[in-house]
Amino acid sequence: MKYKTIFEPFKIKTVEPIRITTEKQREHYLKKAHYNPFFLHSDDVLIDLLTDSGTSAMSAAQWSAMMSGDESYAGAKSWLRLEKEIHDLTGFEFILPTHQGRAAERILYGYLGGKGKVFISNTHFDTTRANIEFTGATAIDIPMPESSMIEFDHPFKGNMDTAKLESLVETYGATNISAIILTVTNNSGGGQPVSMHNAREVSAICKKYKLLFILDCCRIAENSYFIRNREKGFKSKSYRTIAQEMFALADGCIMSAKKDAFANIGGFLALKNKHLAEACTNLLIITEGFVTYGGLAGRDMDAIAVGLQEIFDPDYLHYRISSTGYLADHLHKMGIPLIMPSVGHAVYIDAAKLYPHIPVQEYPGQALVCELYLKGGIRCVEIGSVMFGKYDARGKLIPASKELVRLAIPRRVYTQSHIDYVIEVFEEIIKAKESAHGLRITHELELLRHFTAHFEKI
Ligand SMILES: Cc1ncc(COP(=O)(O)O)c(C=O)c1O
């Protein structure tokens, strides 16, 4: 389009009201939620940027496909449609439906894991890491070195450090390495994309050492957008073809359909190897359900099948990446420190840099999360020492490598005015910077503590 306005390539048919709240009310809600926005009621939130997972607005085509959902226990038509769609897209022969991404992770990594086993990734997502560590195995992150330079401009900061990958294979021995997981885009590494060149290199190393290469592909369409627009040699290819080229490099994939499949629930595991697929099928039946529904209703499978086609629409992808980029550029110009270059599904703010007066032990990221809710009713998530911090033997916090806050943008849900509102709230955040204060944890669970921790103000 010749005009500069970011144009949402859809019309709104159904609306959901947003209840307007005051700062005073939000102060009360936040205290009641123990300063952890996961405990807030959604009705008390103005703009919900907690996650882009399962929060998409479905299209008319998806809703109508849901009406033809076949709820048969076995061999449902919905399953056959979904299976065909996944097969056509990924090329993998064995497809196991699951109720969401982490169920596929638990099945595959539960089977492959165990004490003494090692998994290596550009960055394990939190549920990926938790599922691996739960088996007693070790999860090692090897993002490229530039990924830790928050404002450093590089087109593919989600890449894996392939030199390190080879040296780790030497260190641990190929037989002890259960899988190499390439997460595209690299969510916990700032949502940065992975280049095809990097995927090819990872694939070649996996072939050389006979290692299993798994793609965590829940944002594969957004990743394909970056490859087409940032990597040489892809301009004339469609986004779907680029995704297919990446799938062809791997031995299997795990997908949370709650992201780049525009679905509110669902996921799958797809594999090349029959023996591995059979082992996983055993586990699927025990916990998820029969092989042709895996914990999903027929109508959900139809929604995913349609979503997997819609996500590669060039107009949608252009709007999606431009809209997130618009938010990132405005915040950057305002002086908010954030991971650059901008990515597809979220903006990641460096809270430690924004609040240098709050030590990591007092969780600057959580402080910003609370401020954004208080000042503007915006809900988002800390991706720092609350999420990834550990304790040493004496109970001292071992902080995460970064103190980030993620503003994830649900797909097709908010308009450009909502994005402008978020930018305006940040003007307030900057003005009130000095008065933000840290928090201490008063209650936590052992695994994935960020979901359920309670905090109090310091
Ligand atoms: C990269 C990545 N992998 C796995 C998952 C887990 O998927 P789910 O939330 O569907 O269990 C997520 C969810 O956010 C993710 O971003």
Side-chain angles (χ1 to χ4, degrees), residues 111-256:
Y111 175 72
L112 295 172
K115 252 196 161 37
K117 293 291 181 190
V118 176
F119 291 77
I120 301 170
S121 175
N122 46 346
T123 310
H124 293 85
F125 182 65
D126 61 358
T127 59
T128 319
R129 173 173 287 280
N131 272 300
I132 289 169
E133 290 179 349
F134 191 69
T135 70
T138 304
I140 302 174
D141 293 338
I142 49 163
M144 69 190 289
E146 291 85 344
S147 76
S148 60
M149 297 147 80
I150 288 195
E151 290 180 71
F152 183 78
D153 194 14
H154 184 287
F156 294 102
K157 271 162 90 177
N159 283 353
M160 186 181 282
D161 182 341
T162 45
K164 208 159 185 179
L165 176 59
E166 286 230 59
S167 83
L168 285 176
V169 179
E170 300 291 339
T171 309
Y172 288 98
T175 50
N176 295 315
I177 299 175
S178 294
I180 308 302
I181 305 164
L182 194 61
T183 309
V184 298
T185 57
N186 189 1
N187 189 4
S188 297
Q192 293 287 327
V194 174
S195 68
M196 190 69 81
H197 177 75
N198 189 247
R200 283 180 191 144
E201 278 187 346
V202 173
S203 176
I205 295 170
C206 289
K207 285 202 171 75
K208 179 172 162 193
Y209 294 99
K210 295 193 171 48
L211 299 168
L212 184 73
F213 177 18
I214 298 293
L215 272 184
D216 179 337
C217 65
C218 65
R219 295 183 183 84
I220 185 95
E222 291 177 5
N223 200 78
S224 298
Y225 181 93
F226 290 113
I227 289 178
R228 185 167 189 260
N229 293 287
R230 291 183 184 171
E231 192 167 352
K232 237 175 114 192
F234 292 91
K235 266 276 167 289
S236 62
K237 295 190 178 172
S238 73
Y239 296 121
R240 192 179 158 90
T241 312
I242 293 169
Q244 285 168 324
E245 196 170 324
M246 194 172 269
F247 282 120
L249 297 170
D251 299 307
C253 69
I254 276 181
M255 181 167 194
S256 164

Side-chain angles (χ1 to χ4, degrees), residues 4 10 34 73 87 90 105 109 133 163 185 214 247 250 262 313 322 332-333 335 341 353 399 402 404 406 409 422 455:
K4 69 176 188 322
F10 47 81
H34 307 283
Y73 189 94
H87 178 71
T90 67
E105 289 175 342
Y109 306 143
E133 290 179 349
T185 57
I214 298 293
F247 282 120
F262 287 130
D313 172 15
S322 309
H332 191 58
K333 276 190 201 126
K353 199 161 173 199
K402 299 184 192 95
L404 301 176
R406 187 188 70 182
I409 320 289
V422 174
F455 299 85

Side-chain angles (χ1 to χ4, degrees), residues 18 62 77 105 125 155 226 265 360 435:
I18 297 176
Q62 281 179 294
K77 292 191 289 275
E105 289 175 342
F125 182 65
F226 290 113
I265 196 70
V360 288
S435 61

